[in-house]
Amino acid sequence: NIILENRKKLILSGVTEVQSLEEDSVELKTTNGNLTIKGDSLKMESYISNIGDLTINGNIYALVYLNDNDKKVGFFSRLFK
């Protein structure tokens, strides 16, 4: 489940791993695939790893899911095809 309150507070369930936490992005593994959260001033309020609940505060601009079969394609890989 995803609950987004006023684009300032994000409550997630089904999180299996927090891969990266930066002020402008958070990368997660979830039961529905990889999830990237974009924004600014992002901070983890709470994470209960044994049940997969995560709360993030900040200015949230985008949520992007990638399936396990999808690949992240960077700038240089597109440039040098």
Side-chain angles (χ1 to χ4, degrees):
N1 291 330
I2 296 177
I3 300 170
L4 181 59
E5 298 176 354
N6 298 319
R7 295 180 59 187
K8 300 281 183 194
K9 183 175 188 175
L10 181 65
I11 302 166
L12 300 162
S13 60
V15 176
T16 58
E17 181 183 346
V18 177
Q19 296 179 309
S20 169
L21 177 63
E22 303 292 331
E23 190 171 295
D24 63 348
S25 71
V26 179
E27 294 184 7
L28 309 168
K29 280 190 178 183
T30 74
T31 54
N32 290 318
N34 294 329
L35 174 63
T36 300
I37 301 156
K38 296 286 187 177
D40 64 50
S41 302
L42 300 176
K43 294 181 173 64
M44 189 181 333
E45 180 180 306
S46 67
Y47 178 44
I48 305 170
S49 61
N50 59 334
I51 59 174
D53 288 352
L54 174 69
T55 302
I56 295 173
N57 291 317
N59 299 312
I60 299 162
Y61 303 141
L63 304 172
V64 180
Y65 266 106
L66 291 175
N67 293 325
D68 290 335
N69 297 333
D70 293 341
K71 293 181 183 177
K72 288 186 181 179
V73 179
F75 172 76
F76 288 108
S77 15
R78 288 190 308 256
L79 184 64
F80 295 112
K81 269 189 168 182

